[in-house]
Amino acid sequence: MGKTKDSEVEERAKWDNKLQYLLTCIGFAVGLGNIWRFPYLCQIYGGGAFLIPYLIALVFEGLPLLYLELAIGQRLRMGSIGVWNSISPMLGGIGIASMIVSFLVGIFYNTILAWVLWYFFHSFQNPLPWSQCPVNANLTGYNEECVKSTPANYFWYRETLNITPDIETSGSLQWWLVICLASAWCVVYICFIRGIKSIGKAVYVTTTFPYLVLTIFLIRALTLPGSIDGLVYLFTPDWEILKNPQVWLDAATQIFFSLSVAFGGLIAFSSYNEERNNCERDAVVVGVINSATSLYASISIFAIMGFKATNGFNSCRNENIMSLTNHFEFSEQNITLENYNDWFEYLNRTSPDDLASLNLKHCDLQTFLDQSASGTGLAFIVFTEAVIEMPGSQIWAILFFVMLFSLGLSSMFGTIEGVLMPINDLKLVPKWIPSEVVTAIICLIAFLTALIFTLGSGNYWVEVFNGYVGSVPLLIIAFFEITAVAYGRGMKTFSEDIYFMTGKRPSIFWKACWMVISPLMLLMVFVAYVAIQAQTHPSYPSWDPDYELFPQTKMLKYPDWVFAIIILLCVLPVISIPVVALYKLICCSIKKSSARGELNPYCNDSFEVETREQKSQTP
């Protein structure tokens, strides 16, 4: 048995070098949320003030969890199921839970990459298709839905999603999204076809390219008018907002989900390391780079958002200037953007009645800067509108969507690894089936499952999966992970494991976090999250051209059957944790009871047999 185990360790795949491993972990941790979620939270939660709860959550929650996963995977050299089974057979459900969450997240995450591909393909058109409204069917004017909203909104909701007015109206499969979805899964499969050997090559591009694009965007944005206004708006702190407990909750959840812990992917990646490797340094490097990327992306994004806000502010004032010029019969160029405020004050003193009759728009730069958006709203609507206003818009659109695809693809590597490794741990597939075939089957199943997201109601389902699959289940899994290591494996044993790998034992800070601080923070975040969600019936924004306040989105409550699916998505991934524990406990009880029956101390059968044998041997 010892030789078999050694041979298995020797046959285990390894990274070609340390850089591949770090780039893969960074690529898995740094994802789309760093681009479209963190800047949004900074914007709505007091700018620079949000960094305080964010950094506290990073130090006391994010880094300890990240360090623990990298360390336990490297020491035991197994996937998520194998790791927890080796600590205790009753903990095997943690690995199954991680596998289910990874699969569910992967199917909707790759759908977002399909949307990115659709926009990328259209970025080569001149002019960009979301820059102007299409003509109507009668060729007598522009499309009414587009005119009522904006070209960017129309291209997203109608040309891309062909969205239905509510989640209960499914609509049909959109063939263009099906093709893009198939293409996205083909790219994932090609990059994953040889496991970490092919992933290790791909991450040199997928992980580093987004930083190049962000830098190019930042340099270009800083040369545009209004970029400094965007940066000032981002970093001006509002200290009063720190009194709001929702800020601390969102900071804790953001850092937790941003690091991609509890998916099982980080455990799998670290298991390909050499046993003697400084995993503490790796955890700090990955965690710090992830948070620094969020901040760096915010600077680039808000520099461009400042430019967009300034353009909107100037357009608003130009419309007012046109109205003033026509009404008061001024010569052109008499009122300019530079002297607009002076003219407005003068006319307000001399002709207040005439000025009031014009119903001029209220133009305030702060109002335009306050127009917040996150997620798909930022990527596919707000940012695409900003790109239109930049010279050479096609080039910037291509760069932006290639960057998004690279970010999402590198995150998909860890997500798929979090599915494939547990399948190997469970020995669900015979060894004679090549790993390439197993990967192809998983990608095919994921693609067929994800077809629900290409329906007319697909965007609503993406929001359901995004909001609930990647929230409560991950918090529960992480809580069981950290308590399993701290109290199941034991802090003394785990400290010796780290000493064996790094040459030094963990400091009192790490031990305090693993044993007390991090579990308590996870428990508090979980309770607070569930309490907030339970206060109101979940609702969603719908796009309905017949809505009286259109183009505003219409808030609808989820129907009861969708609410039941939401509960199922929260419970299904983690139900394996108590089920496996209970199953192992029952099996253990049965074995013990059968063992007692075989070795009954009150039974003298063996003594009687021995006595009879002795009597028969005597002459």
Side-chain angles (χ1 to χ4, degrees):
M1 291 298 291
K3 288 182 180 179
T4 304
K5 186 176 179 181
D6 291 342
S7 62
E8 286 178 0
V9 171
E10 288 174 6
E11 292 171 3
R12 187 170 186 79
K14 294 180 181 179
W15 300 105
D16 289 345
N17 52 65
K18 183 67 175 288
L19 181 61
Q20 276 189 3
Y21 165 65
L22 287 177
L23 286 177
T24 306
C25 289
I26 292 169
F28 182 36
V30 176
L32 297 175
N34 297 73
I35 301 295
W36 67 30
R37 179 66 178 166
F38 180 82
Y40 166 74
L41 292 175
C42 282
Q43 183 181 13
I44 65 173
Y45 288 142
F50 178 74
L51 295 177
I52 293 176
Y54 178 80
L55 292 175
I56 291 174
L58 171 67
V59 172
F60 292 103
E61 180 191 26
L63 289 179
L65 275 166
L66 183 62
Y67 184 12
L68 179 139
E69 287 203 352
L70 296 184
I72 201 71
Q74 180 177 307
R75 181 67 182 96
L76 299 180
R77 298 177 66 73
M78 299 177 185
S80 55
I81 292 180
V83 160
W84 306 118
N85 268 332
S86 65
I87 293 176
S88 171
M90 288 191 293
L91 298 174
I94 300 176
I96 297 174
S98 294
M99 177 182 69
I100 296 173
V101 169
S102 292
F103 178 80
L104 293 175
V105 168
I107 59 175
F108 85 78
Y109 203 88
N110 218 32
T111 302
I112 298 175
L113 297 191
W115 295 340
V116 171
L117 282 178
W118 170 254
Y119 269 78
F120 170 73
F121 295 147
H122 283 81
S123 296
F124 293 91
Q125 297 183 24
N126 187 20
L128 291 172
W130 55 84
S131 63
Q132 56 190 17
C133 287
V135 294
N136 57 27
N138 299 326
L139 303 179
T140 56
Y142 290 110
N143 182 280
E144 184 180 358
E145 181 182 350
C146 181
V147 172
K148 285 183 178 179
S149 56
T150 63
N153 276 325
Y154 181 81
F155 186 82
W156 168 239
Y157 286 110
R158 190 57 53 211
E159 297 287 346
T160 302
L161 302 175
N162 194 19
I163 198 167
T164 56
D166 56 69
I167 196 171
E168 293 186 276
T169 308
S170 295
S172 59
L173 292 175
Q174 314 303 319
W175 62 266
W176 55 91
L177 291 182
V178 173
I179 292 174
C180 290
L181 183 64
S183 302
W185 277 110
C186 285
V187 173
V188 170
Y189 174 70
I190 291 170
C191 293
F192 224 101
I193 193 167
R194 295 184 58 220
I196 65 166
K197 294 296 181 183
S198 52
I199 293 174
K201 304 297 188 295
V203 292
Y204 286 121
V205 177
T206 60
T207 302
T208 57
F209 183 74
Y211 292 97
L212 175 63
V213 175
L214 283 175
T215 303
I216 294 173
F217 265 107
L218 178 60
I219 295 172
R220 180 68 183 97
L222 291 177
T223 64
L224 297 172
S227 60
I228 302 301
D229 293 324
L231 296 180
V232 170
Y233 178 83
L234 173 64
F235 289 111
T236 301
D238 179 8
W239 304 113
E240 287 297 317
I241 207 164
L242 293 180
K243 297 177 182 178
N244 183 359
Q246 184 69 39
V247 179
W248 296 82
L249 175 61
D250 282 347
T253 52
Q254 171 63 20
I255 191 62
F256 174 76
F257 301 132
S258 175
L259 289 172
S260 300
V261 292
F263 282 93
L266 291 170
I267 294 176
F269 287 150
S270 63
S271 70
Y272 299 121
N273 266 341
E274 298 287 347
E275 278 190 291
R276 296 186 184 277
N277 171 63
N278 193 337
C279 48
E280 177 183 3
R281 183 176 57 201
D282 295 344
V284 173
V285 167
V286 172
V288 170
I289 289 179
N290 174 73
S291 297
T293 303
S294 297
L295 191 60
Y296 189 54
S298 298
I299 295 173
S300 302
I301 293 294
F302 270 88
I304 294 173
M305 292 298 101
F307 162 69
K308 180 179 180 296
T310 300
N311 275 3
F313 175 57
N314 289 339
S315 297
C316 177
R317 292 194 298 170
N318 277 326
E319 290 182 21
N320 288 352
I321 289 173
M322 182 65 68
S323 299
L324 292 172
T325 301
N326 293 337
H327 181 79
F328 292 101
E329 298 181 351
F330 293 140
S331 61
E332 291 187 10
Q333 303 301 320
N334 200 1
I335 305 177
T336 63
L337 291 174
E338 288 74 19
N339 62 20
Y340 171 79
N341 291 334
D342 296 332
W343 269 106
F344 186 86
E345 291 176 4
Y346 170 75
L347 294 172
N348 197 31
R349 290 195 308 268
T350 57
S351 309
D353 294 334
D354 287 344
L355 195 64
S357 66
L358 292 177
N359 294 321
L360 298 177
K361 290 183 177 181
H362 177 68
C363 302
D364 182 18
L365 180 60
Q366 190 69 26
T367 303
F368 288 96
L369 289 170
D370 284 338
Q371 293 175 355
S372 59
S374 67
T376 54
L378 175 65
F380 299 115
I381 298 176
V382 176
F383 206 86
T384 52
E385 287 178 334
V387 165
I388 293 171
E389 298 167 358
M390 297 171 65
S393 55
Q394 285 80 17
I395 296 175
W396 299 112
I398 291 169
L399 282 175
F400 178 67
F401 290 113
V402 171
M403 177 190 71
L404 288 185
F405 191 81
S406 297
L407 282 169
L409 186 61
S410 56
S411 295
M412 280 297 297
F413 293 157
T415 306
I416 298 300
E417 184 68 19
V419 176
L420 291 174
M421 179 66 77
I423 289 176
N424 292 331
D425 290 344
L426 291 171
K427 296 180 173 56
L428 296 176
V429 180
K431 289 186 177 180
W432 55 267
I433 298 180
S435 60
E436 294 85 354
V437 175
V438 177
T439 305
I441 293 172
I442 295 299
C443 289
L444 180 61
I445 293 173
F447 163 71
L448 295 175
T449 309
L451 287 176
I452 185 178
F453 303 125
T454 64
L455 294 169
S457 60
N459 184 56
Y460 302 132
W461 287 109
V462 168
E463 292 301 323
V464 168
F465 274 68
N466 185 34
Y468 297 99
V469 172
S471 56
V472 173
L474 289 177
L475 289 170
I476 295 173
I477 293 168
F479 177 79
F480 277 99
E481 281 187 357
I482 203 164
T483 51
V485 172
Y487 299 101
R489 187 169 181 82
M491 190 49 61
K492 183 177 180 182
T493 303
F494 190 51
S495 296
E496 292 301 320
D497 291 338
I498 292 176
Y499 178 74
F500 172 77
M501 293 184 292
T502 66
K504 61 179 181 179
R505 290 177 175 81
S507 66
I508 188 66
F509 166 76
W510 295 116
K511 291 181 180 179
C513 286
W514 289 327
M515 297 189 72
V516 180
I517 300 174
S518 296
L520 281 178
M521 286 188 69
L522 285 170
L523 196 60
M524 289 169 59
V525 170
F526 171 74
V527 171
Y529 183 87
V530 172
I532 290 174
Q533 293 294 325
Q535 288 176 5
T536 57
H537 191 87
S539 58
Y540 66 100
S542 69
W543 182 262
D544 185 2
D546 296 328
Y547 179 45
E548 57 269 16
L549 299 179
F550 185 80
Q552 295 181 26
T553 54
K554 183 180 181 181
M555 294 304 298
L556 298 174
K557 290 185 177 180
Y558 284 116
D560 292 339
W561 65 275
V562 176
F563 185 60
I565 292 175
I566 288 173
I567 295 175
L568 186 65
L569 289 174
C570 293
V571 174
L572 179 64
V574 296
I575 196 67
S576 61
I577 298 176
V579 167
V580 170
L582 186 62
Y583 172 74
K584 294 293 184 181
L585 199 61
I586 294 172
C587 291
C588 185
S589 300
I590 294 173
K591 285 182 180 179
K592 284 183 179 179
S593 61
S594 62
R596 287 195 194 98
E598 293 171 1
L599 301 174
N600 193 339
Y602 302 103
C603 179
N604 292 324
D605 291 346
S606 59
F607 175 75
E608 292 173 359
V609 170
E610 186 179 350
T611 304
R612 284 197 300 269
E613 288 178 352
Q614 289 176 353
K615 286 182 178 179
S616 64
Q617 290 176 2
T618 56

